[in-house]
Amino acid sequence: MLGQMMHRPLSVIEILKFASENHKSAEIVSVRTEGDIHRYSYAQAFERVAQMAHALGRMGIASGDRVATLAWNGYRHFELYYAISGIGAVCHTINPRLSAEQMIYIIQHADDQVLFVDTTFVPIIAALRSQLPQGLRCVVMTDRAHMPDSDLDLLCYEDLIADCPKTYDWPEVDENTACGLCYTSGTTGNPKGALYSHRSTVLHAMSLCISLGRFLQEGTRVLPVVPLFHVNAWGLPYGAPLAGASLIFPGGALDGPSVYKLMDEERVNSAWGVPTVWLGLQAEIAAKGRNPNGFSSVVVGGSAAPRSMIEKFEKSGVSVCHAWGMTEMSPVGTHGILPADMIATKSLSERLDLQQYQGRRVFGVDLKVVDENGESLPHDGTSVGELYVRGNAIISGYFDNEAATAEAFDSEGWFGTGDIAVIRPDGFLSIQDRAKDLIKSGGEWISSIDLENVVMSHPMVANCAVIAVAHPKWDERPLLVIVPAGQEHVSKAEIDDLLLQHVAKWQLPDAIEFVDELPLTATGKVSKLTLRQKFANYMLPDMK
Ligand code: ADP
């Protein structure tokens, strides 16, 4: 027997409509490429979204068309998220840190009709012009006074919307209609597209508000350092208006001092981003001797948060949520907010033990760990295998890419993450490594994350990465690459002593190399691929 309930399609534009009516005191604050700060309410945003929807219609954009963005976190980018999906078209966010080759590939693969671009990125478009599809129109996300000098045929965002009505008769779209498209950064091979639907996006936003609710409430001032140009800024452009939180968009200045200043001036409560950004912020906090005003929580994800980073935040009164997810998962899969009873009863050290894991699954995401034969392993805290996921906000295939799709799922339709993990009886997920980053030594595995976690706690280490180096006898051995915190280099003996408190002797890195900085991926994570290439012919001491 079926239930007798109305079927109202889940729709992204309804989120902003809801916020415009119900969260009157929340605001969107943006550091603009024009150099100043812009602020307005969700109601004002909703009006400009309507204007942009009209402008898109005038440009001939119809349901199902792909409209691309190449932009920082700011209010115009936010408007495009809603205007494009609101008319039934697809908002394709492009990561400006992709290589030219990858960018051209995804613009062609997505068949983008229009490209919205921040002034900062106009030079990228100019450099690529000969390879861009003919007929691709470019709109610069600024006003007439700030339009760049360029011989490209560029349209102006503010001109486009200037005379458009501030209301729009939003069409009712099927909830399975695509609303957003984001390509993985594709460390190997071509990028692969995750095509989000209205349904998956709304369900993900609700799940975010429930699971991370303590960090995302009515009145919270949230800073997404995580970019709108990659994986929907972890769902914040949807979750924040739903919850009634304010969004503080940082624009392009993401270094420690700039982030600190913005957080301090705008009294940001909750800041979300990858560990590399927080290393910069923590250095600035140390220099200033205090936290930014109002700072009370941080969400760290995208790569493993070192225990020492979590400890520094927690000791200064900032609650940490260590989260895990993927582009293919919208992206949030697990969150590390501790259960209230643990916060009340556990010591700091016991809490840190748990927080270095990647947390518990959010509602709507199922997790399983399987062995090499695809058999499910128990959630016993020790059985290690590949992590598979399924859920309402997880891709069912890659956009227009049968080959990649065929490889990504098991026979029961679960998506293979490529992460090696353990699930504990209490539900906490522990990511050991990406399968391709594990170090295979004499038939045993060494987790690069485990070693990095310990090394990061040394005061003479600003950042580090452990990578595999080919070895004639052991297959691979670990090489530790350190960015020193000061002038002096920590000795190998000292690092070994520290590591031996946590890992077995055979897991110790064979050598240490010091570098000024670590290479980053397009999403701001340490690029182990680039490091492995750099040290491809490295001679470990016992090979010389
Ligand atoms: P890309 O790195 O190409 O931008 P994603 O942003 O989708 O792609 O990255 C997803 C991957 O990032 C996960 O499969 C996992 O390996 C890694 N990751 C994400 N969060 C964490 C975390 N908290 N700890 C360890 N690894 C993480």
Side-chain angles (χ1 to χ4, degrees), residues 11 66 118 519:
S11 148
R66 270 77 71 196
D118 264 344

Side-chain angles (χ1 to χ4, degrees), residues 68 107 111-115 125 132-138 153:
I107 290 173
D111 192 19
D112 294 323
Q113 302 296 305
V114 181
L115 174 61
I125 300 306
L132 290 174
Q134 290 214 331
L136 178 75
R137 284 156 294 169
C138 290
D153 193 7

